[in-house]
Each structure stands twice: as structure tokens, then as C-alpha cells.
Amino acid sequence: MLPFKSGSAMAEFTSPPRLDRVGHRPRNLWRSDDDFQSDMLEGVSRTFALTIPQLPPGLCRVVSNAYLLCRIVDTIEDEPVISGARKNYLCQQFLGVLNATKNAEPFSRQLCASLSSKTSTAEHELIRNVPRVIQITRRFSERQREALQHCVGTMANGMAQFQLRNEEQSLQTLEDLDQYCYYVAGAVGEMLTRLFCLYSPEIAKHHDRLMQLAVSFGQGLQMTNILKDLWEDYQIGACWLPRKIFADEGFDLRDLATARNRRGFQRGIQRLVGIAHGHLRNALAYTMLIPSHEVGIRNFCLWAIGLAVLTLRKINSHLYYTDGNQVKISRKSVKGTVVVCRLAVRHEHVLKLLFYVATLRLPLARLSTSLSPAETNANTLDSAVNPSE
């Protein structure tokens, strides 16, 4: 998954495009929409630049755009020099742009001026190109736009709630983590499901069950990212771990800087790995509801699941990690995941067996709680990954 109107192509540009140093127009104005979005994705997320192109062309275009829209909100949230209130204001301004009540060009300039050097060069470039991203959005069908707007609105408003809480160092409970993951990833899973169902009547037959599992799929990927990026987030003053989980193990997250070899901290990490593992089981169940002939959509899902499982395995075997690079999977592992998924994509029993073997030594938590404000019920499906069935 992702942790994502009419008008002419250049209608929103209210001033002539600036020239580069040798007097030529910026390169992105000459690129096709697909090439432009591909270049933007490559800059802000190599993972999704790898997985999204597996989708059928029509879906690839709209999902690429959806990811870029979500990344714009994410860039606002991650900027360390902007206050929570200011982030909320900028998110609301962006929703106005997305809903065609505000112009994209002034918003783009305003946000660019607010970003610091701590935001990556690729994200600066994305924000400069907000007008073109929005123009692409406006070419989609009404129902596609509605799916994108609902997702981005949920994400922006949900992120703002957490920013305005101004909590330092951690979330309070696992329920807080569930809610945060819903806003930043579960809502993306719901959006993708809506887009998949619009694309295929055959997929739409499973709409209700897919929607139940979509939030869990997103949460599994997001929790994996939170664990992987734990120390990098902490360095910029953020921590998305639930305090109570660690308190139950005798560790206070306020002492995170000295936690590197503490057993209580490691047990807390293992509990979260077990929960993420449970969500990824649901992700596999989701994927197997996609018809086997929809190879592109299945690969899109399977590659994300496979990379997340490998990351959880590294975290579980390196509980003393102090840097995300220590639990980063190798390029060889990425290539191996791609090859294996391509070979097994149509074969459900093989997929179950592969998942079972890959997760055999991971802790596992049984899921039984609602995962979203919409009371989405995403329970673990043991039969989805039991190779004996």
C-alpha cells in the first residue's frame, strides 16, 4: 500500500515559468505527466517508485498522483521548524487547493518559503511542483478524485490532531498508535481499495471484505516503518512508539536515549513486531482476494508485504539496533523478493507457504480491536497463512 477537476495542463500557472541558468524552461514542463510523476516518485520514495509501476497503466497514473498528494501532506508534518498550529494551517490550505477552492501556485510558494534545509531536496522539488501535481489530479474521473480527496483530507486532518497535541517523545497507548496509523496509512489502504474496485468489477465483488482488511494492511506497513525509522525520528524529536507498551515491560520511553541494550525496551519492540506481523497476515489475506490474473496489482501488494516482513526479521534479530541502516534490507534481498513474488504471484498455496516460512521466527500478536474511527474490524486470519489448509 502506501505509509496517500478539469482544466488545461498549465491553467494554474499565473506567471511565466522561470528559466534555468542557461535560459531554458525547466525540464519538467516538457515531460509527459507519467514521466513527471515517475521522476517525482523516484526522488521522494524509491520503494513506491519500484512498486507503483507494477500496476496497470490507468491505476499506475492515479496511484502515483495519490502518493504525491499524500507526500505533500507528509512533508508538512515532517518539517521540524514549523509549529503544530502552522502545520495545521498549511494542511488546510492544501486541502483547499485539492478541492479547487484555492489556487495551487500561491500555496506552493508559501510552503516552499516555510521549508528548511532539513527537508530533503527532492521534497523541496515536489513542493515547487504542486501546481502540476494538482493539474494531473483534476484530469481523473469524479469518483477517482473523490477517493483521493477523502484520503488526503483524512490524513491531513488526522495528522493535525496529533501535531496539535504537542506530546513529547511518544504516544500514550497502543490505541493512539492504531489511530495514528489509520490517519497516515489505513486511510491510504481504503483509498487504494476504492481505486481497485473502480478499475475492476471483479475486484469490486469483494469490496466489503477488502475494505475491512485495508486498514490493517496499511497499519502493518506503517508500524514496520515506525520501527525501522525509530532512531532517526528520535533525533528530530519525534517518537511514534506507545508509552504504555514499554511501561508494561518496565521501561520508560523518556529514557529512550539510553535504551539501546535494555531488556525491557527490547521486549517492547518485540511486542510491536508481533502486532505488525499480525497486520501483515491480514495484508496477505487482502492480496489473495485480488483475482490471480491481476498480476500487477498482486505484485504491487506482495512486494510491499515481502519487504516489510524482511525488515521485521532484521529488527527482531537486531533488537540492539541504534540506527535505521542496521535494519535496512540489502539490495540483494529486494531483488530476491521481487523475483520470488513474480514466480509465486498466481499461486495462493505457494504464497501462504512462503509467508509462513518467512515469518516463522517472528513473534505474533492476535488482533481483535477496531483499527479506525470508522470502526473497521480487521481480525487476524490464521487460515490465510496456514500452509496446511
Side-chain angles (χ1 to χ4, degrees):
M1 296 275 151
L2 309 161
F4 261 189
K5 291 87 184 174
S6 58
S8 64
M10 304 305 297
E12 282 212 33
F13 285 89
T14 55
S15 60
R18 60 183 174 80
L19 304 182
D20 65 20
R21 291 182 180 178
V22 294
H24 298 293
R25 292 171 183 265
R27 185 166 63 94
N28 75 70
L29 296 182
W30 301 112
R31 286 175 287 173
S32 69
D33 288 345
D34 289 344
D35 288 344
F36 164 76
Q37 293 197 137
S38 178
D39 287 351
M40 289 292 106
L41 280 174
E42 183 67 29
V44 297
S45 176
R46 291 186 176 181
T47 299
F48 285 111
L50 174 71
T51 59
I52 291 176
Q54 305 312 306
L55 295 170
L59 271 176
C60 178
R61 187 172 299 115
V62 68
V63 172
S64 295
N65 188 261
Y67 182 84
L68 294 177
L69 294 173
C70 292
R71 191 68 182 202
I72 292 165
V73 176
D74 198 46
T75 299
I76 296 172
E77 185 204 22
D78 288 346
E79 173 53 65
V81 304
I82 303 178
S83 69
R86 179 67 174 173
K87 289 177 181 180
N88 182 43
Y89 167 79
L90 289 168
C91 282
Q92 296 308 311
Q93 292 296 302
F94 180 57
L95 293 182
V97 170
L98 184 59
N99 297 327
T101 60
K102 294 185 180 296
N103 191 278
E105 183 88 1
F107 168 79
S108 175
R109 291 196 298 266
Q110 181 183 40
L111 181 52
C112 278
S114 301
L115 298 178
S116 71
S117 60
K118 294 182 179 181
T119 292
S120 72
T121 300
E123 287 173 313
H124 276 271
E125 181 69 11
L126 173 61
I127 300 308
R128 282 194 293 270
N129 282 281
V130 165
R132 184 160 188 188
V133 174
I134 292 295
Q135 284 295 340
I136 296 171
T137 307
R138 292 177 182 174
R139 297 196 190 98
F140 300 137
S141 72
E142 181 179 358
R143 295 184 69 184
Q144 288 174 324
R145 293 197 306 271
E146 287 173 353
L148 270 58
Q149 289 166 349
H150 183 270
C151 172
V152 176
T154 299
M155 178 180 288
N157 290 320
M159 284 183 173
Q161 287 184 33
F162 282 90
Q163 291 289 346
L164 292 173
R165 287 185 187 183
N166 198 31
E167 293 183 12
E168 295 184 357
Q169 301 304 321
S170 63
L171 303 174
Q172 293 297 321
T173 66
L174 182 60
E175 288 71 26
D176 288 336
L177 176 61
D178 290 344
Q179 188 176 52
Y180 175 75
C181 287
Y182 172 73
Y183 289 137
V184 301
V188 177
E190 292 177 332
M191 173 195 68
L192 289 170
T193 302
R194 293 186 177 100
L195 294 175
F196 293 166
C197 290
L198 288 173
Y199 165 78
S200 166
E202 189 174 357
I203 294 176
K205 292 177 182 178
H206 302 288
H207 173 274
D208 292 347
R209 189 65 187 128
L210 287 168
M211 290 295 283
Q212 288 179 330
L213 294 167
V215 172
S216 190
F217 195 151
Q219 178 149 351
L221 300 183
Q222 185 63 28
M223 287 187 68
T224 302
N225 283 335
I226 287 172
L227 291 169
K228 174 177 66 70
D229 297 334
L230 161 64
W231 294 105
E232 285 68 24
D233 288 340
Y234 184 71
Q235 289 174 3
I236 61 171
C239 180
W240 302 108
L241 302 179
R243 185 172 298 172
K244 188 175 186 304
I245 288 283
F246 292 87
D248 290 346
E249 301 296 339
F251 180 78
D252 190 336
L253 272 180
R254 287 173 294 188
D255 298 327
L256 187 57
T258 59
R260 294 168 185 171
N261 291 303
R262 296 193 181 184
R263 288 297 303 159
F265 174 75
Q266 294 178 358
R267 287 194 298 269
I269 293 293
Q270 284 186 306
R271 286 181 64 181
L272 294 177
V273 168
I275 295 169
H277 175 190
H279 286 299
L280 293 179
R281 284 189 164 207
N282 283 341
L284 181 63
Y286 178 102
T287 304
M288 290 194 297
L289 286 173
I290 303 296
S292 60
H293 63 83
E294 292 290 358
V295 172
I297 299 177
R298 278 198 169 197
N299 273 325
F300 170 78
C301 296
L302 288 171
W303 294 8
I305 296 169
L307 298 178
V309 167
L310 292 181
T311 301
L312 290 182
R313 281 166 50 118
K314 292 208 72 169
I315 292 170
N316 194 55
S317 60
H318 296 81
L319 294 171
Y320 52 84
Y321 71 109
T322 59
D323 187 294
N325 289 324
Q326 295 170 359
V327 293
K328 184 178 180 180
I329 59 178
S330 67
R331 291 186 179 181
K332 182 178 179 180
S333 295
V334 173
K335 291 179 180 178
T337 300
V338 168
V339 171
V340 170
C341 289
R342 281 178 169 164
L343 292 173
V345 64
R346 294 177 180 268
H347 307 289
E348 295 190 1
H349 287 290
V350 176
L351 291 172
K352 292 179 185 180
L353 179 60
L354 287 170
F355 188 92
Y356 175 81
V357 171
T359 60
L360 191 58
R361 296 187 179 184
L362 289 180
L364 174 64
R366 184 174 296 275
L367 310 178
S368 60
T369 57
S370 177
L371 298 174
S372 79
E375 298 184 350
T376 301
N377 182 24
N379 295 325
T380 300
L381 299 181
D382 291 328
S383 61
V385 295
N386 189 340
S388 65
E389 297 185 8

